[in-house]
Amino acid sequence: MTSGQEDRHGMWHGTYDGHGDLVRLSARDAELDSLPPLPAAVEDPAGLLELRLDGNAFTAFPEPLRDMSGLEALSLYRNRLTSVPRWAGSLTGLRSLNLAANRLTTLPDEFGELARLHTLDLGHNELTELPDALGRLTGLDRCLYLSNNRLTAIPAALCRLTALRYLNVTDNLLTALPAEFGDLAALRELRLYNNRLVALPDSLGRLGELREAHLMGNALTSLPASTGDLAALRELRLMDNELESLPRSIGRLKRLRILDLRNNHLTALPPSLGDLSGLTHLDLRNNHLTELPDALSKLPALEKLDLRWNDIDPWPDWLEDLERHGCAVLR
């Protein structure tokens, strides 16, 4: 067999490496509730690098996984798991682990032994809390998915993941973030929409690498002044909150391209918005605005300004100037 060559072994689908060893196996959408015998070509289970068992009927981790100490990627996506055994922490070679779309309610402390993980997906489960042990996953530098659970809080220990670049905790029950949240210094994309957040910590401004912040569908009434310190931010999405005002510091976001503020309670805008020299899209639909700061007329890169469903009267003359310069103005 040549490297990358695929073959079938009964219900197993396998891939070989350059030495002719079967190193990747998958058995998907087969309604399995126990692990079938491995193909004869697998001489040593410890030599397997990847195992994918998506879309089956496992209610518990298959016991034969104990012998697969060399696994680097394991996926049990869309099964019926209710728990993770403590011995799963012995799979210390894992780099990617997908346990999404199961029925998990808790995680063992031994989870923290999986220090080589770079990607972890726990989305679409029934988790109500996270163990502090997750903070020991210091190799986690790509993605952490926690969406669609029942989490009411993020433990401060999670903020020790200082190499993490993508964090998704959407569709949970969060009301606050830990004060240490700004310690996630490498974070580039943050998704926290559809929670119950009423405020953001001042430490948010320390996320100097953050490119995208998706904070829609919360209960935010204001933003911390430190928001203006997010020097790398390109997208700030705040629709469907309860914002009553914006900090003047928001004008320091020189790289911001998209600012979505629709469906909030804004009655006025800070003139500093006119300093957003890179802004291309500004959505202000369905607020309580009665006037606009003239500074908005100075936005050189603006391509779309949506002002519908406000109470602005009269409309400022400079809106026509924006339109003449190619900006689509909806009012």
Side-chain angles (χ1 to χ4, degrees), residues 312-331:
I312 301 168
D313 186 25
W315 295 103
D317 294 337
W318 50 260
L319 288 178
E320 296 180 1
D321 294 332
L322 284 179
E323 290 174 319
R324 280 193 291 270
H325 287 91
C327 179
V329 179
L330 303 177
R331 44 183 159 166

PDB file of all heavy atoms in Angstrom, residues 312-331:
ATOM      1  N   ILE A 312     -34.985  59.629  13.148  1.00  0.00           N
ATOM      2  CA  ILE A 312     -34.165  60.756  12.722  1.00  0.00           C
ATOM      3  C   ILE A 312     -34.989  61.718  11.858  1.00  0.00           C
ATOM      4  O   ILE A 312     -35.554  61.326  10.837  1.00  0.00           O
ATOM      5  CB  ILE A 312     -32.936  60.255  11.939  1.00  0.00           C
ATOM      6  CG1 ILE A 312     -32.108  59.312  12.818  1.00  0.00           C
ATOM      7  CG2 ILE A 312     -32.088  61.425  11.447  1.00  0.00           C
ATOM      8  CD1 ILE A 312     -31.048  58.547  12.072  1.00  0.00           C
ATOM      9  N   ASP A 313     -35.033  62.966  12.283  1.00  0.00           N
ATOM     10  CA  ASP A 313     -35.798  63.979  11.543  1.00  0.00           C
ATOM     11  C   ASP A 313     -35.311  65.374  11.981  1.00  0.00           C
ATOM     12  O   ASP A 313     -35.383  65.692  13.177  1.00  0.00           O
ATOM     13  CB  ASP A 313     -37.288  63.824  11.829  1.00  0.00           C
ATOM     14  CG  ASP A 313     -38.152  64.750  10.981  1.00  0.00           C
ATOM     15  OD1 ASP A 313     -37.691  65.137   9.884  1.00  0.00           O
ATOM     16  OD2 ASP A 313     -39.266  65.079  11.434  1.00  0.00           O
ATOM     17  N   PRO A 314     -34.768  66.144  11.051  1.00  0.00           N
ATOM     18  CA  PRO A 314     -34.627  65.862   9.622  1.00  0.00           C
ATOM     19  C   PRO A 314     -33.367  65.037   9.350  1.00  0.00           C
ATOM     20  O   PRO A 314     -32.483  64.933  10.192  1.00  0.00           O
ATOM     21  CB  PRO A 314     -34.499  67.263   9.023  1.00  0.00           C
ATOM     22  CG  PRO A 314     -33.798  68.034  10.100  1.00  0.00           C
ATOM     23  CD  PRO A 314     -34.340  67.514  11.400  1.00  0.00           C
ATOM     24  N   TRP A 315     -33.305  64.489   8.155  1.00  0.00           N
ATOM     25  CA  TRP A 315     -32.100  63.784   7.732  1.00  0.00           C
ATOM     26  C   TRP A 315     -31.012  64.800   7.402  1.00  0.00           C
ATOM     27  O   TRP A 315     -31.280  65.787   6.730  1.00  0.00           O
ATOM     28  CB  TRP A 315     -32.394  62.926   6.494  1.00  0.00           C
ATOM     29  CG  TRP A 315     -33.354  61.808   6.745  1.00  0.00           C
ATOM     30  CD1 TRP A 315     -34.664  61.777   6.393  1.00  0.00           C
ATOM     31  CD2 TRP A 315     -33.072  60.575   7.405  1.00  0.00           C
ATOM     32  NE1 TRP A 315     -35.236  60.589   6.788  1.00  0.00           N
ATOM     33  CE2 TRP A 315     -34.275  59.824   7.410  1.00  0.00           C
ATOM     34  CE3 TRP A 315     -31.932  60.021   7.975  1.00  0.00           C
ATOM     35  CZ2 TRP A 315     -34.365  58.553   7.976  1.00  0.00           C
ATOM     36  CZ3 TRP A 315     -32.019  58.759   8.546  1.00  0.00           C
ATOM     37  CH2 TRP A 315     -33.221  58.039   8.543  1.00  0.00           C
ATOM     38  N   PRO A 316     -29.789  64.558   7.858  1.00  0.00           N
ATOM     39  CA  PRO A 316     -28.717  65.518   7.555  1.00  0.00           C
ATOM     40  C   PRO A 316     -28.382  65.543   6.065  1.00  0.00           C
ATOM     41  O   PRO A 316     -28.428  64.507   5.385  1.00  0.00           O
ATOM     42  CB  PRO A 316     -27.543  65.003   8.386  1.00  0.00           C
ATOM     43  CG  PRO A 316     -27.841  63.566   8.673  1.00  0.00           C
ATOM     44  CD  PRO A 316     -29.328  63.451   8.729  1.00  0.00           C
ATOM     45  N   ASP A 317     -28.014  66.723   5.573  1.00  0.00           N
ATOM     46  CA  ASP A 317     -27.708  66.876   4.152  1.00  0.00           C
ATOM     47  C   ASP A 317     -26.507  66.043   3.717  1.00  0.00           C
ATOM     48  O   ASP A 317     -26.431  65.616   2.557  1.00  0.00           O
ATOM     49  CB  ASP A 317     -27.446  68.355   3.842  1.00  0.00           C
ATOM     50  CG  ASP A 317     -28.696  69.210   4.024  1.00  0.00           C
ATOM     51  OD1 ASP A 317     -29.814  68.644   3.958  1.00  0.00           O
ATOM     52  OD2 ASP A 317     -28.542  70.429   4.238  1.00  0.00           O
ATOM     53  N   TRP A 318     -25.573  65.818   4.645  1.00  0.00           N
ATOM     54  CA  TRP A 318     -24.341  65.123   4.235  1.00  0.00           C
ATOM     55  C   TRP A 318     -24.573  63.652   3.857  1.00  0.00           C
ATOM     56  O   TRP A 318     -23.690  63.013   3.294  1.00  0.00           O
ATOM     57  CB  TRP A 318     -23.263  65.237   5.306  1.00  0.00           C
ATOM     58  CG  TRP A 318     -23.664  64.889   6.716  1.00  0.00           C
ATOM     59  CD1 TRP A 318     -23.985  65.751   7.715  1.00  0.00           C
ATOM     60  CD2 TRP A 318     -23.773  63.569   7.277  1.00  0.00           C
ATOM     61  NE1 TRP A 318     -24.293  65.066   8.871  1.00  0.00           N
ATOM     62  CE2 TRP A 318     -24.167  63.721   8.628  1.00  0.00           C
ATOM     63  CE3 TRP A 318     -23.578  62.283   6.780  1.00  0.00           C
ATOM     64  CZ2 TRP A 318     -24.360  62.647   9.487  1.00  0.00           C
ATOM     65  CZ3 TRP A 318     -23.775  61.199   7.629  1.00  0.00           C
ATOM     66  CH2 TRP A 318     -24.160  61.383   8.962  1.00  0.00           C
ATOM     67  N   LEU A 319     -25.761  63.102   4.143  1.00  0.00           N
ATOM     68  CA  LEU A 319     -26.042  61.738   3.688  1.00  0.00           C
ATOM     69  C   LEU A 319     -25.992  61.661   2.174  1.00  0.00           C
ATOM     70  O   LEU A 319     -25.545  60.651   1.602  1.00  0.00           O
ATOM     71  CB  LEU A 319     -27.415  61.292   4.194  1.00  0.00           C
ATOM     72  CG  LEU A 319     -27.534  60.986   5.697  1.00  0.00           C
ATOM     73  CD1 LEU A 319     -28.964  60.600   6.035  1.00  0.00           C
ATOM     74  CD2 LEU A 319     -26.567  59.877   6.111  1.00  0.00           C
ATOM     75  N   GLU A 320     -26.438  62.731   1.511  1.00  0.00           N
ATOM     76  CA  GLU A 320     -26.379  62.740   0.050  1.00  0.00           C
ATOM     77  C   GLU A 320     -24.945  62.770  -0.441  1.00  0.00           C
ATOM     78  O   GLU A 320     -24.622  62.188  -1.481  1.00  0.00           O
ATOM     79  CB  GLU A 320     -27.164  63.935  -0.480  1.00  0.00           C
ATOM     80  CG  GLU A 320     -28.660  63.860  -0.165  1.00  0.00           C
ATOM     81  CD  GLU A 320     -29.419  65.062  -0.706  1.00  0.00           C
ATOM     82  OE1 GLU A 320     -28.777  65.934  -1.350  1.00  0.00           O
ATOM     83  OE2 GLU A 320     -30.647  65.124  -0.492  1.00  0.00           O
ATOM     84  N   ASP A 321     -24.064  63.420   0.313  1.00  0.00           N
ATOM     85  CA  ASP A 321     -22.646  63.421  -0.058  1.00  0.00           C
ATOM     86  C   ASP A 321     -22.068  62.016   0.035  1.00  0.00           C
ATOM     87  O   ASP A 321     -21.282  61.597  -0.836  1.00  0.00           O
ATOM     88  CB  ASP A 321     -21.854  64.364   0.863  1.00  0.00           C
ATOM     89  CG  ASP A 321     -22.250  65.825   0.669  1.00  0.00           C
ATOM     90  OD1 ASP A 321     -22.686  66.171  -0.446  1.00  0.00           O
ATOM     91  OD2 ASP A 321     -22.123  66.600   1.636  1.00  0.00           O
ATOM     92  N   LEU A 322     -22.441  61.292   1.077  1.00  0.00           N
ATOM     93  CA  LEU A 322     -21.977  59.905   1.195  1.00  0.00           C
ATOM     94  C   LEU A 322     -22.439  59.079   0.006  1.00  0.00           C
ATOM     95  O   LEU A 322     -21.680  58.283  -0.561  1.00  0.00           O
ATOM     96  CB  LEU A 322     -22.506  59.275   2.488  1.00  0.00           C
ATOM     97  CG  LEU A 322     -21.834  59.661   3.807  1.00  0.00           C
ATOM     98  CD1 LEU A 322     -22.527  58.955   4.968  1.00  0.00           C
ATOM     99  CD2 LEU A 322     -20.355  59.313   3.796  1.00  0.00           C
ATOM    100  N   GLU A 323     -23.687  59.273  -0.396  1.00  0.00           N
ATOM    101  CA  GLU A 323     -24.225  58.513  -1.523  1.00  0.00           C
ATOM    102  C   GLU A 323     -23.494  58.858  -2.809  1.00  0.00           C
ATOM    103  O   GLU A 323     -23.220  57.978  -3.637  1.00  0.00           O
ATOM    104  CB  GLU A 323     -25.719  58.782  -1.664  1.00  0.00           C
ATOM    105  CG  GLU A 323     -26.545  58.168  -0.526  1.00  0.00           C
ATOM    106  CD  GLU A 323     -28.009  58.559  -0.584  1.00  0.00           C
ATOM    107  OE1 GLU A 323     -28.291  59.745  -0.873  1.00  0.00           O
ATOM    108  OE2 GLU A 323     -28.854  57.691  -0.337  1.00  0.00           O
ATOM    109  N   ARG A 324     -23.154  60.126  -2.979  1.00  0.00           N
ATOM    110  CA  ARG A 324     -22.414  60.529  -4.185  1.00  0.00           C
ATOM    111  C   ARG A 324     -21.033  59.893  -4.236  1.00  0.00           C
ATOM    112  O   ARG A 324     -20.461  59.709  -5.316  1.00  0.00           O
ATOM    113  CB  ARG A 324     -22.304  62.052  -4.247  1.00  0.00           C
ATOM    114  CG  ARG A 324     -23.566  62.737  -4.766  1.00  0.00           C
ATOM    115  CD  ARG A 324     -23.312  64.187  -5.116  1.00  0.00           C
ATOM    116  NE  ARG A 324     -23.063  65.003  -3.938  1.00  0.00           N
ATOM    117  CZ  ARG A 324     -24.013  65.620  -3.247  1.00  0.00           C
ATOM    118  NH1 ARG A 324     -25.274  65.519  -3.635  1.00  0.00           N
ATOM    119  NH2 ARG A 324     -23.702  66.348  -2.194  1.00  0.00           N
ATOM    120  N   HIS A 325     -20.501  59.550  -3.064  1.00  0.00           N
ATOM    121  CA  HIS A 325     -19.185  58.921  -3.013  1.00  0.00           C
ATOM    122  C   HIS A 325     -19.280  57.386  -3.017  1.00  0.00           C
ATOM    123  O   HIS A 325     -18.296  56.704  -2.767  1.00  0.00           O
ATOM    124  CB  HIS A 325     -18.425  59.383  -1.773  1.00  0.00           C
ATOM    125  CG  HIS A 325     -17.927  60.784  -1.859  1.00  0.00           C
ATOM    126  ND1 HIS A 325     -18.672  61.884  -1.418  1.00  0.00           N
ATOM    127  CD2 HIS A 325     -16.762  61.290  -2.363  1.00  0.00           C
ATOM    128  CE1 HIS A 325     -17.975  62.978  -1.619  1.00  0.00           C
ATOM    129  NE2 HIS A 325     -16.824  62.666  -2.202  1.00  0.00           N
ATOM    130  N   GLY A 326     -20.473  56.868  -3.314  1.00  0.00           N
ATOM    131  CA  GLY A 326     -20.633  55.427  -3.496  1.00  0.00           C
ATOM    132  C   GLY A 326     -21.135  54.658  -2.300  1.00  0.00           C
ATOM    133  O   GLY A 326     -21.233  53.425  -2.360  1.00  0.00           O
ATOM    134  N   CYS A 327     -21.464  55.342  -1.222  1.00  0.00           N
ATOM    135  CA  CYS A 327     -21.978  54.662  -0.030  1.00  0.00           C
ATOM    136  C   CYS A 327     -23.480  54.409  -0.191  1.00  0.00           C
ATOM    137  O   CYS A 327     -24.244  55.320  -0.546  1.00  0.00           O
ATOM    138  CB  CYS A 327     -21.712  55.486   1.222  1.00  0.00           C
ATOM    139  SG  CYS A 327     -22.350  54.742   2.739  1.00  0.00           S
ATOM    140  N   ALA A 328     -23.910  53.177   0.091  1.00  0.00           N
ATOM    141  CA  ALA A 328     -25.330  52.854   0.066  1.00  0.00           C
ATOM    142  C   ALA A 328     -25.931  53.256   1.410  1.00  0.00           C
ATOM    143  O   ALA A 328     -25.560  52.699   2.448  1.00  0.00           O
ATOM    144  CB  ALA A 328     -25.531  51.371  -0.193  1.00  0.00           C
ATOM    145  N   VAL A 329     -26.829  54.219   1.386  1.00  0.00           N
ATOM    146  CA  VAL A 329     -27.462  54.695   2.594  1.00  0.00           C
ATOM    147  C   VAL A 329     -28.917  54.251   2.598  1.00  0.00           C
ATOM    148  O   VAL A 329     -29.689  54.583   1.696  1.00  0.00           O
ATOM    149  CB  VAL A 329     -27.392  56.240   2.706  1.00  0.00           C
ATOM    150  CG1 VAL A 329     -28.097  56.710   3.970  1.00  0.00           C
ATOM    151  CG2 VAL A 329     -25.943  56.711   2.691  1.00  0.00           C
ATOM    152  N   LEU A 330     -29.285  53.456   3.604  1.00  0.00           N
ATOM    153  CA  LEU A 330     -30.653  52.963   3.736  1.00  0.00           C
ATOM    154  C   LEU A 330     -31.322  53.701   4.881  1.00  0.00           C
ATOM    155  O   LEU A 330     -30.820  53.711   5.997  1.00  0.00           O
ATOM    156  CB  LEU A 330     -30.646  51.465   3.993  1.00  0.00           C
ATOM    157  CG  LEU A 330     -29.925  50.609   2.944  1.00  0.00           C
ATOM    158  CD1 LEU A 330     -29.922  49.156   3.346  1.00  0.00           C
ATOM    159  CD2 LEU A 330     -30.558  50.777   1.570  1.00  0.00           C
ATOM    160  N   ARG A 331     -32.473  54.350   4.574  1.00  0.00           N
ATOM    161  CA  ARG A 331     -33.134  55.143   5.600  1.00  0.00           C
ATOM    162  C   ARG A 331     -34.648  55.074   5.448  1.00  0.00           C
ATOM    163  O   ARG A 331     -35.153  54.581   4.489  1.00  0.00           O
ATOM    164  CB  ARG A 331     -32.672  56.617   5.521  1.00  0.00           C
ATOM    165  CG  ARG A 331     -32.605  57.183   4.110  1.00  0.00           C
ATOM    166  CD  ARG A 331     -32.080  58.588   4.131  1.00  0.00           C
ATOM    167  NE  ARG A 331     -31.548  58.993   2.834  1.00  0.00           N
ATOM    168  CZ  ARG A 331     -31.280  60.253   2.508  1.00  0.00           C
ATOM    169  NH1 ARG A 331     -31.504  61.209   3.367  1.00  0.00           N
ATOM    170  NH2 ARG A 331     -30.777  60.543   1.335  1.00  0.00           N
TER     171      ARG A 331
END
